[in-house]
Amino acid sequence: MKIAITGATGHLGRLVISRLKSRVPASSIVALVRTPAKAEGLGVEVRQTDYSSPATLDAGLKGMDTLLLISSSEVGHRAAQHQNVIDAALNNGVKWIVYTSLLHADTSHMASLASEHIGTEAALKRSKIAYTLLRNGWYTENYTASVPAAVSGGAFLGSAGEGKISSAARADYADAAVAVLTGQGHEGKTYELAGDTAYTLSDLAAEISRQTGKTIPYRNMPESEYAEVLQSFGLPEAVAKAYANFDTGASANALFDDSRTLSSLIGHPTTPLSSSVAEALKQ
Ligand SMILES: NC(=O)c1ccc[n+]([C@@H]2O[C@H](COP(=O)([O-])OP(=O)(O)OC[C@H]3O[C@@H](n4cnc5c(N)ncnc54)[C@H](OP(=O)(O)O)[C@@H]3O)[C@@H](O)[C@H]2O)c1
């Protein structure tokens, strides 16, 4: 059986491939990458594909049985790009697509992210190819990337209020993808994947304080003010506004889920917040 992985040079794709290689022969894995120069060292066959180029996708999916479609990072173009991938999978007789969607995509307060995922989920259902939806929650790394700035600036900034955040490490979501790809009976299933233990950004700031021995409070601010702060740190305006808006979604518990589906799927607890903070403090 041949398994293709898109986005294989990304953070998640790399973790999936390294884990998958310990479960199936490397010769059965094909990495679909936009930039082959970044794929050195993956240790599997590499094929150049671009989500926006149907011809490359058609060639890339030749002979593949299963596809892990890791959602594109090009927000705003993703529905069309993912449709290209699904069409190429159909042309090539791919039998099963596992797709990384968004936690509670159909009811999410994060409309700017959810709409493209809902569109892709609907396209998969229309395609008649067997599918599995991995509705991934927030990566803990999205927040812990700001730990060094919080330590140097003396506060953790955000606009998520006291929203409860059930994030998990990327490695946990990679384990879930591998568990599904190598397991049985997942066709037609939708998994809401999130961390075992929810926290607020105040809890995160308290954990940073505990581990550094410094007082790092959480400073909550209105969405527009937070967007301005992010811009002042050098983020492009659109990105700053999007990130601040994600925090507003988080304040309404868009990132909360207490089903523990992720840990039951992967057979171990999700990575604790304390470990992710410790990892970030090493950077
Ligand atoms: N759950 C969350 O918290 C969260 C957070 C951020 C993103 N996401 C979603 O999850 C996905 C995986 O996360 P990640 O951390 O691995 O993201 P990442 O590190 O940014 O990787 C994105 C991957 O997508 C590839 N890509 C982008 N545009 C492409 C195109 N037009 N054609 C082919 N490949 C393309 C990139 O290729 P290059 O190496 O050539 O750039 C890269 O391999 C993201 O793409 C995004 O949809 C989820």
Short mmCIF file of all heavy atoms in Angstrom, two decimals, residues 189-222:
data_model
loop_
_atom_site.label_atom_id
_atom_site.label_comp_id
_atom_site.label_asym_id
_atom_site.label_seq_id
_atom_site.Cartn_x
_atom_site.Cartn_y
_atom_site.Cartn_z
N LYS A 189 -15.11 8.50 9.49
CA LYS A 189 -15.14 9.05 10.86
C LYS A 189 -14.64 10.51 10.87
O LYS A 189 -13.80 10.90 10.07
CB LYS A 189 -14.23 8.24 11.78
CG LYS A 189 -14.63 6.77 11.92
CD LYS A 189 -15.54 6.59 13.12
CE LYS A 189 -16.10 5.18 13.23
NZ LYS A 189 -15.07 4.18 13.53
N THR A 190 -15.18 11.26 11.83
CA THR A 190 -14.72 12.63 12.09
C THR A 190 -14.22 12.67 13.52
O THR A 190 -14.96 12.31 14.45
CB THR A 190 -15.88 13.63 11.92
OG1 THR A 190 -16.32 13.58 10.57
CG2 THR A 190 -15.45 15.05 12.26
N TYR A 191 -12.95 13.06 13.70
CA TYR A 191 -12.38 13.10 15.05
C TYR A 191 -12.12 14.55 15.46
O TYR A 191 -11.42 15.28 14.76
CB TYR A 191 -11.06 12.32 15.08
CG TYR A 191 -11.23 10.83 14.83
CD1 TYR A 191 -10.83 10.26 13.63
CD2 TYR A 191 -11.82 10.02 15.79
CE1 TYR A 191 -10.99 8.89 13.40
CE2 TYR A 191 -11.99 8.65 15.57
CZ TYR A 191 -11.57 8.10 14.37
OH TYR A 191 -11.74 6.76 14.15
N GLU A 192 -12.68 14.94 16.60
CA GLU A 192 -12.42 16.27 17.17
C GLU A 192 -11.21 16.11 18.09
O GLU A 192 -11.28 15.49 19.14
CB GLU A 192 -13.63 16.76 17.99
CG GLU A 192 -14.95 16.79 17.23
CD GLU A 192 -15.06 17.91 16.19
OE1 GLU A 192 -14.13 18.74 16.10
OE2 GLU A 192 -16.06 17.94 15.46
N LEU A 193 -10.06 16.65 17.66
CA LEU A 193 -8.80 16.37 18.34
C LEU A 193 -8.31 17.59 19.11
O LEU A 193 -8.17 18.68 18.55
CB LEU A 193 -7.75 15.94 17.31
CG LEU A 193 -8.13 14.70 16.49
CD1 LEU A 193 -7.04 14.37 15.48
CD2 LEU A 193 -8.40 13.50 17.40
N ALA A 194 -8.03 17.40 20.38
CA ALA A 194 -7.62 18.51 21.24
C ALA A 194 -6.85 17.95 22.43
O ALA A 194 -6.85 16.74 22.68
CB ALA A 194 -8.85 19.29 21.71
N GLY A 195 -6.19 18.84 23.15
CA GLY A 195 -5.40 18.43 24.30
C GLY A 195 -6.27 17.97 25.46
O GLY A 195 -7.44 18.33 25.56
N ASP A 196 -5.65 17.19 26.36
CA ASP A 196 -6.40 16.62 27.49
C ASP A 196 -6.84 17.69 28.49
O ASP A 196 -7.90 17.56 29.09
CB ASP A 196 -5.51 15.62 28.25
CG ASP A 196 -5.32 14.32 27.48
OD1 ASP A 196 -6.15 14.04 26.59
OD2 ASP A 196 -4.35 13.60 27.78
N THR A 197 -5.98 18.69 28.69
CA THR A 197 -6.22 19.63 29.80
C THR A 197 -6.25 21.06 29.28
O THR A 197 -5.26 21.54 28.71
CB THR A 197 -5.09 19.50 30.86
OG1 THR A 197 -4.99 18.12 31.22
CG2 THR A 197 -5.41 20.32 32.10
N ALA A 198 -7.40 21.71 29.47
CA ALA A 198 -7.53 23.09 28.98
C ALA A 198 -6.84 24.06 29.93
O ALA A 198 -6.71 23.80 31.12
CB ALA A 198 -9.01 23.45 28.87
N TYR A 199 -6.39 25.17 29.36
CA TYR A 199 -5.77 26.24 30.16
C TYR A 199 -6.23 27.58 29.60
O TYR A 199 -6.73 27.66 28.47
CB TYR A 199 -4.23 26.13 30.09
CG TYR A 199 -3.66 26.21 28.70
CD1 TYR A 199 -3.31 27.43 28.13
CD2 TYR A 199 -3.50 25.06 27.92
CE1 TYR A 199 -2.81 27.52 26.84
CE2 TYR A 199 -3.01 25.13 26.63
CZ TYR A 199 -2.67 26.36 26.09
OH TYR A 199 -2.19 26.44 24.80
N THR A 200 -6.08 28.61 30.41
CA THR A 200 -6.31 29.98 29.92
C THR A 200 -4.94 30.62 29.69
O THR A 200 -3.91 30.08 30.13
CB THR A 200 -7.07 30.81 30.97
OG1 THR A 200 -6.23 30.92 32.13
CG2 THR A 200 -8.41 30.15 31.35
N LEU A 201 -4.93 31.78 29.06
CA LEU A 201 -3.63 32.45 28.87
C LEU A 201 -3.07 32.93 30.21
O LEU A 201 -1.85 33.06 30.36
CB LEU A 201 -3.74 33.58 27.84
CG LEU A 201 -4.00 33.11 26.40
CD1 LEU A 201 -3.89 34.27 25.42
CD2 LEU A 201 -3.04 31.98 25.97
N SER A 202 -3.94 33.15 31.20
CA SER A 202 -3.44 33.46 32.56
C SER A 202 -2.70 32.24 33.11
O SER A 202 -1.64 32.38 33.75
CB SER A 202 -4.59 33.82 33.51
OG SER A 202 -5.29 34.92 33.02
N ASP A 203 -3.25 31.05 32.88
CA ASP A 203 -2.57 29.82 33.33
C ASP A 203 -1.22 29.67 32.62
O ASP A 203 -0.22 29.27 33.24
CB ASP A 203 -3.41 28.57 33.02
CG ASP A 203 -4.74 28.53 33.74
OD1 ASP A 203 -4.84 29.12 34.84
OD2 ASP A 203 -5.69 27.92 33.19
N LEU A 204 -1.21 30.00 31.33
CA LEU A 204 0.05 29.88 30.58
C LEU A 204 1.09 30.85 31.15
O LEU A 204 2.25 30.48 31.37
CB LEU A 204 -0.21 30.18 29.09
CG LEU A 204 1.01 30.29 28.18
CD1 LEU A 204 1.92 29.08 28.26
CD2 LEU A 204 0.57 30.49 26.72
N ALA A 205 0.66 32.09 31.41
CA ALA A 205 1.60 33.07 31.99
C ALA A 205 2.10 32.60 33.35
O ALA A 205 3.29 32.77 33.67
CB ALA A 205 0.90 34.43 32.10
N ALA A 206 1.21 31.99 34.13
CA ALA A 206 1.62 31.49 35.45
C ALA A 206 2.65 30.37 35.32
O ALA A 206 3.61 30.28 36.11
CB ALA A 206 0.39 31.00 36.22
N GLU A 207 2.48 29.54 34.30
CA GLU A 207 3.44 28.45 34.09
C GLU A 207 4.80 29.00 33.66
O GLU A 207 5.86 28.51 34.10
CB GLU A 207 2.88 27.47 33.04
CG GLU A 207 3.77 26.26 32.75
CD GLU A 207 4.05 25.39 33.97
OE1 GLU A 207 3.24 25.38 34.91
OE2 GLU A 207 5.11 24.73 33.98
N ILE A 208 4.77 30.03 32.80
CA ILE A 208 6.04 30.65 32.39
C ILE A 208 6.72 31.26 33.63
O ILE A 208 7.93 31.12 33.84
CB ILE A 208 5.81 31.75 31.32
CG1 ILE A 208 5.15 31.16 30.07
CG2 ILE A 208 7.12 32.42 30.94
CD1 ILE A 208 4.60 32.21 29.10
N SER A 209 5.92 31.92 34.48
CA SER A 209 6.47 32.53 35.70
C SER A 209 7.10 31.45 36.58
O SER A 209 8.20 31.62 37.12
CB SER A 209 5.35 33.24 36.49
OG SER A 209 4.72 34.20 35.69
N ARG A 210 6.39 30.34 36.74
CA ARG A 210 6.87 29.26 37.62
C ARG A 210 8.22 28.73 37.11
O ARG A 210 9.16 28.54 37.88
CB ARG A 210 5.83 28.13 37.64
CG ARG A 210 6.06 27.07 38.70
CD ARG A 210 5.05 25.95 38.60
NE ARG A 210 5.20 25.13 37.41
CZ ARG A 210 6.13 24.21 37.23
NH1 ARG A 210 7.00 23.95 38.19
NH2 ARG A 210 6.22 23.53 36.10
N GLN A 211 8.29 28.52 35.79
CA GLN A 211 9.51 27.91 35.25
C GLN A 211 10.68 28.88 35.17
O GLN A 211 11.83 28.45 35.19
CB GLN A 211 9.23 27.30 33.86
CG GLN A 211 8.31 26.10 33.93
CD GLN A 211 8.32 25.25 32.65
OE1 GLN A 211 9.29 25.24 31.92
NE2 GLN A 211 7.22 24.53 32.43
N THR A 212 10.41 30.17 35.05
CA THR A 212 11.52 31.14 34.94
C THR A 212 11.87 31.77 36.27
O THR A 212 12.92 32.41 36.40
CB THR A 212 11.17 32.28 33.95
OG1 THR A 212 9.98 32.94 34.43
CG2 THR A 212 10.95 31.76 32.54
N GLY A 213 10.95 31.68 37.25
CA GLY A 213 11.17 32.36 38.52
C GLY A 213 10.95 33.85 38.41
O GLY A 213 11.27 34.61 39.34
N LYS A 214 10.40 34.31 37.29
CA LYS A 214 10.10 35.74 37.11
C LYS A 214 8.59 35.92 37.15
O LYS A 214 7.85 34.98 36.87
CB LYS A 214 10.60 36.25 35.75
CG LYS A 214 12.09 36.16 35.57
CD LYS A 214 12.48 36.62 34.17
CE LYS A 214 13.99 36.54 34.01
NZ LYS A 214 14.41 36.72 32.63
N THR A 215 8.14 37.14 37.47
CA THR A 215 6.69 37.38 37.45
C THR A 215 6.31 37.84 36.04
O THR A 215 6.67 38.93 35.61
CB THR A 215 6.32 38.47 38.48
OG1 THR A 215 6.79 38.02 39.76
CG2 THR A 215 4.82 38.67 38.54
N ILE A 216 5.61 36.95 35.33
CA ILE A 216 5.16 37.26 33.96
C ILE A 216 3.63 37.21 33.98
O ILE A 216 3.05 36.13 33.87
CB ILE A 216 5.68 36.22 32.93
CG1 ILE A 216 7.17 35.91 33.11
CG2 ILE A 216 5.33 36.64 31.50
CD1 ILE A 216 8.12 36.92 32.56
N PRO A 217 2.96 38.33 34.14
CA PRO A 217 1.49 38.30 34.16
C PRO A 217 0.93 38.17 32.74
O PRO A 217 1.64 38.43 31.76
CB PRO A 217 1.12 39.67 34.74
CG PRO A 217 2.28 40.55 34.37
CD PRO A 217 3.50 39.69 34.30
N TYR A 218 -0.34 37.78 32.66
CA TYR A 218 -1.04 37.81 31.38
C TYR A 218 -1.70 39.18 31.26
O TYR A 218 -2.40 39.62 32.16
CB TYR A 218 -2.10 36.71 31.30
CG TYR A 218 -2.99 36.85 30.07
CD1 TYR A 218 -2.41 36.95 28.81
CD2 TYR A 218 -4.37 36.91 30.18
CE1 TYR A 218 -3.20 37.11 27.68
CE2 TYR A 218 -5.16 37.07 29.05
CZ TYR A 218 -4.58 37.17 27.80
OH TYR A 218 -5.35 37.33 26.68
N ARG A 219 -1.43 39.86 30.15
CA ARG A 219 -2.07 41.17 29.94
C ARG A 219 -3.06 41.03 28.79
O ARG A 219 -2.67 40.83 27.63
CB ARG A 219 -1.02 42.25 29.62
CG ARG A 219 -1.65 43.63 29.58
CD ARG A 219 -0.70 44.68 30.13
NE ARG A 219 0.42 44.97 29.25
CZ ARG A 219 0.35 45.78 28.19
NH1 ARG A 219 -0.79 46.37 27.88
NH2 ARG A 219 1.41 46.01 27.47
N ASN A 220 -4.36 41.09 29.16
CA ASN A 220 -5.41 40.97 28.13
C ASN A 220 -5.72 42.34 27.56
O ASN A 220 -5.72 43.34 28.27
CB ASN A 220 -6.68 40.38 28.77
CG ASN A 220 -7.65 39.89 27.72
OD1 ASN A 220 -7.30 39.01 26.93
ND2 ASN A 220 -8.85 40.44 27.70
N MET A 221 -5.97 42.39 26.28
CA MET A 221 -6.28 43.68 25.65
C MET A 221 -7.35 43.48 24.58
O MET A 221 -7.56 42.36 24.10
CB MET A 221 -5.01 44.32 25.06
CG MET A 221 -4.20 43.43 24.18
SD MET A 221 -2.62 44.20 23.71
CE MET A 221 -1.74 44.11 25.22
N PRO A 222 -8.02 44.57 24.19
CA PRO A 222 -9.01 44.44 23.13
C PRO A 222 -8.35 43.96 21.83
O PRO A 222 -7.17 44.24 21.60
CB PRO A 222 -9.55 45.88 22.96
CG PRO A 222 -9.17 46.59 24.20
CD PRO A 222 -7.93 45.95 24.71
#
